[in-house]
Amino acid sequence: MAHEDRPKSATSCPVMRIGITGLSGAGKSTLITAIINHLENARRGAMDAQPGLAAIRHGRWQREYERAFDYDHALTALTAEPPSWPESTRDWSIARITLDYDRRWYSLRPRRRCLELFDYPGEWLLDLSLLDWGFDDYTRHWVDWLSRSPRRHIAPGLLDDLAAIDPGEPVDEARMRELTARWSMMLADSRLPPHRLSRNLPGRWLMPGGDYDPEAMPFLPLPAMLHATGQDDPDGSWGQVCRTHFEYYREKIARPFFESHFGRLDAQVILVDLLGALRSGQSALADMRAALEAILEPFRYRSEGWLSNLFRRRIRRVAIVATQIDHLLPADQARLTRLLDSYLFELTQQLAGKDIELRLFAVSAVTAAQPREDARGRPMLVGVEKSSWQKIAFTPPSIPEQMPHDLNLAIDDLPTLAPPAGLDRARTFPGRRVDTLLDFLIGEH
Ligand SMILES: Nc1nc2c(ncn2[C@@H]2O[C@H](COP(=O)(O)OP(=O)(O)OP(=O)(O)O)[C@@H](O)[C@H]2O)c(=O)[nH]1
Ligand SMILES: [Mg+2]
């Protein structure tokens, strides 16, 4: 592992910091909880199958830090009777774990390392795309997205109403409030089933975090600006206000987040709800892939822009991880990895040979469904339904190994499950491939 020149923490322990992100509900908090649980149970063989992790003797979660990831809360929820999933999180936090290693007496490798898992909303990561945009680019993208299905149908008339605004006219506050309310609704509906679209910019509109209020400085795309003659819009006009607010958002909200956090990441994990996107079909799959391409753009081009420099300063490993695969039969879980591979083939091709290692994974952080056979010997899954707490048996849809080139693939709906009963902090949570993912991120090879 080439981490020897890492910064040290206050306790002089070399730090490895890994970003963990994914859109709301992708499974970040549950995966971080499962990772800490695996590391805490190192002594009990939680990671014995991974030679790269074999030297880890002990992992200890650190509670007493500012903005510490709330492992206590997640454990309380998962191990309660009946168990529930960790509550949804709305801001960033960091899980700090000290790792003690078994070393031979002559080994020069550190005997202790600090692992930091930086949990932040994937919605914010999507704002990467708009850092290079002017307000006209922002408008142009939204005109394109809103004029196509399914967004055209999610917000009927919204594009026309925005296009009818004369950027030179003074802002009408009531009209602004009405349109921003429709805008928020369009973003929320785009994100939710049945659409499950990913590129719902600006990212903090739906997921503001602690220090941003979208209503305080609202901005909307103004299609009429794209045909304007180029003269400056007067103060207080739609054009001037929306442009100023957009630039404020880009410079004072989005950019500082990347500047203060990204230069310090050694690796980045991006969780994707591939099963969710498959339930919604072609447009959700296309939008999610476009979002991933936009996010990984800084790695694709060897440009000297600040963004590329910032990202490539440290980040060497990127994992794209399909989550919640316990909703599938074991044979389909393996096929899902190949499907992910086929889905993201072009992206992995583009990044091959660049100075990052991109790897795809399909994991279940906490397996909630158990494989069984029905009376005729056919495989099925049993689990407990999340809202009704009823025990259910279901036959999940089978998964093909290849993604059709036009992404025209959809699977049937799947039930949402409650966590399994009987989880205990002192034993490894049942999961799939959490250890393989960890090995890729921090393993010593
Ligand atoms: N079956 C199963 N469901 C999971 C698993 N991980 C997450 N889920 C489901 O996904 C939901 C969201 O998981 P979280 O871990 O809270 O996801 P998150 O990305 O932290 O979500 P936010 O904090 O809202 O952004 C949970 O409430 C569960 O319903 C898993 O490993 N197996
Ligand atoms: Mg969370």
Side-chain angles (χ1 to χ4, degrees):
M1 188 167 52
H3 289 301
E4 306 314 325
D5 58 342
R6 291 293 168 250
K8 312 255 165 123
S9 72
T11 49
S12 97
C13 163
V15 176
M16 298 175 279
R17 182 175 284 196
I18 298 172
I20 310 249
T21 199
L23 296 183
S24 164
K28 302 178 287 294
S29 302
T30 309
L31 179 67
I32 291 174
T33 306
I35 289 178
I36 303 175
N37 163 269
H38 272 65
L39 293 168
E40 282 190 329
N41 284 287
R43 269 180 301 142
R44 301 186 173 94
M47 296 165 308
D48 281 0
Q50 302 301 328
L53 303 174
I56 298 176
R57 176 162 46 89
H58 184 58
R60 198 155 43 84
W61 172 64
Q62 305 286 324
R63 176 184 283 112
E64 51 292 329
Y65 276 97
E66 236 183 282
R67 303 197 72 139
F69 174 80
D70 202 347
Y71 183 52
D72 281 322
H73 164 82
L75 280 178
T76 306
L78 284 170
T79 59
E81 292 271 345
S84 59
W85 299 104
E87 238 167 68
S88 174
T89 41
R90 288 277 163 265
D91 214 324
W92 64 268
S93 68
I94 297 185
R96 291 182 176 81
I97 306 125
T98 34
L99 301 176
D100 289 316
Y101 287 79
D102 271 331
R103 304 285 190 209
R104 307 219 183 227
W105 64 267
Y106 51 79
S107 171
L108 295 178
R109 285 180 154 162
R111 286 171 158 68
R112 173 170 287 183
R113 289 181 187 281
C114 295
L115 176 63
E116 299 189 341
L117 304 174
F118 173 51
D119 173 2
Y120 67 96
E123 284 77 0
W124 301 1
L125 185 60
L126 287 173
D127 275 345
L128 263 184
S129 350
L130 58 74
L131 294 186
D132 284 338
W133 292 353
F135 182 58
D136 289 1
D137 302 309
Y138 177 74
T139 296
R140 203 171 296 116
H141 278 92
W142 267 114
V143 169
D144 179 32
W145 296 341
L146 280 175
S147 57
R148 282 194 264 159
S149 178
R151 285 190 175 91
R152 186 151 45 105
H153 308 293
I154 295 173
L158 181 59
L159 182 58
D160 293 338
D161 289 346
L162 291 171
I165 295 174
D166 177 349
E169 288 287 306
V171 168
D172 169 350
E173 300 285 341
R175 184 83 173 131
M176 176 70 108
R177 268 198 304 280
E178 182 234 325
L179 285 168
T180 50
R182 282 168 65 194
W183 182 261
S184 305
M185 206 124 71
M186 180 276 294
L187 290 181
D189 289 347
S190 302
R191 182 176 71 178
L192 289 172
H195 306 294
R196 295 189 177 93
L197 300 175
S198 301
R199 291 180 297 176
N200 305 312
L201 300 179
R204 286 178 195 248
W205 204 276
L206 291 181
M207 187 65 73
D211 8 280
Y212 176 66
D213 172 12
E215 314 228 316
M217 293 182 81
F219 57 93
L220 294 161
L222 298 175
M225 286 192 78
L226 301 176
H227 317 292
T229 51
Q231 71 223 39
D232 284 342
D233 296 310
D235 279 359
S237 64
W238 283 94
Q240 184 267 336
V241 167
C242 288
R243 183 187 297 277
T244 311
H245 290 183
F246 167 80
E247 286 167 2
Y248 177 88
Y249 178 85
R250 189 189 60 198
E251 296 307 316
K252 301 286 186 234
I253 305 292
R255 195 183 300 272
F257 173 73
F258 294 108
E259 280 173 345
S260 47
H261 294 294
F262 272 71
R264 296 162 67 192
L265 294 182
D266 298 294
Q268 175 63 58
V269 177
I270 303 171
L271 304 187
V272 292
D273 183 10
L274 179 62
L275 284 177
L278 280 169
R279 278 136 91 180
S280 292
Q282 197 174 27
S283 40
L285 288 166
D287 213 55
M288 187 159 96
R289 189 161 68 183
L292 287 170
E293 281 167 357
I295 290 166
L296 294 172
E297 187 120 335
F299 295 103
R300 276 200 278 165
Y301 304 107
R302 198 166 262 294
S303 79
E304 289 312 312
W306 73 273
L307 193 59
S308 292
N309 286 334
L310 182 66
F311 271 75
R312 294 210 299 253
R313 196 178 305 161
R314 286 271 290 274
I315 299 179
R316 291 288 171 270
R317 290 175 192 172
V318 174
I320 297 180
V321 180
T323 53
Q324 307 179 25
I325 63 164
D326 53 310
H327 285 98
L328 299 175
L329 292 169
D332 283 302
Q333 295 179 3
R335 270 200 284 275
L336 192 76
T337 318
R338 291 196 283 278
L339 185 70
L340 183 64
D341 216 8
S342 154
Y343 171 55
L344 296 179
F345 180 72
E346 219 162 286
L347 185 63
T348 44
Q349 285 286 97
Q350 286 161 349
L351 289 170
K354 306 283 178 203
D355 42 10
I356 64 156
E357 202 181 335
L358 174 75
R359 194 89 68 78
L360 310 179
F361 293 87
V363 309
S364 124
V366 176
T367 296
Q370 308 305 323
R372 296 275 184 280
E373 286 186 349
D374 70 8
R376 296 213 198 128
R378 287 174 305 201
M380 59 173 193
L381 294 177
V382 297
V384 171
E385 210 275 326
K386 179 169 153 176
S387 40
S388 65
W389 298 103
Q390 299 287 318
K391 195 167 175 187
I392 51 169
F394 62 102
T395 309
S398 68
I399 298 286
E401 287 196 2
Q402 278 175 11
M403 187 61 81
H405 191 63
D406 61 1
L407 303 181
N408 192 1
L409 176 65
I411 61 170
D412 294 342
D413 227 352
L414 291 160
T416 312
L417 302 170
L423 294 178
D424 177 4
R425 181 181 185 179
R427 274 181 291 147
T428 315
F429 292 168
R432 195 170 147 94
R433 290 177 67 85
V434 175
D435 59 343
T436 338
L437 173 64
L438 254 182
D439 185 47
F440 169 66
L441 296 169
I442 65 167
E444 297 179 314
H445 295 283

